[in-house]
Amino acid sequence: MSAEPPRDFDQAAAAWDEKPQRRLLAAAVAAGIAAAIPLHRGMRALEYGCGTGLVGLHLAEQIGQLTAADASPGM
């Protein structure tokens, strides 16, 4: 088994959302969250490790406040 080299997420961020699979996965994850948790405008949420924010963007309009953070400045 060979180890993959570490990703440079700062460099990858510019084209991250271009892959349809990533957008579809983010939409599915957001739908799963919304199905499991009754979201409402009085909620505040923190998404840590958000990458480009694909999941959070799907949920942001259903809650009152979303704070998104990622360790990669590019993301």
Side-chain angles (χ1 to χ4, degrees), residues 12-60:
W16 192 261
D17 296 350
E18 292 176 9
K19 289 195 174 181
Q21 309 94 300
R22 289 189 178 128
R23 292 192 308 275
L24 290 171
L25 179 59
V29 169
I33 291 169
I37 300 169
L39 302 175
H40 57 83
R41 300 291 294 157
M43 295 179 115
R44 295 183 301 169
L46 168 65
E47 182 183 9
Y48 183 75
C50 66
T52 60
L54 285 175
V55 174
L57 289 172
H58 284 282
L59 301 172

Side-chain angles (χ1 to χ4, degrees), residues 7-15 70-75:
R7 283 193 180 158
D8 181 351
F9 285 106
D10 289 338
Q11 184 178 13
D70 197 282
S72 167
M75 287 287 189

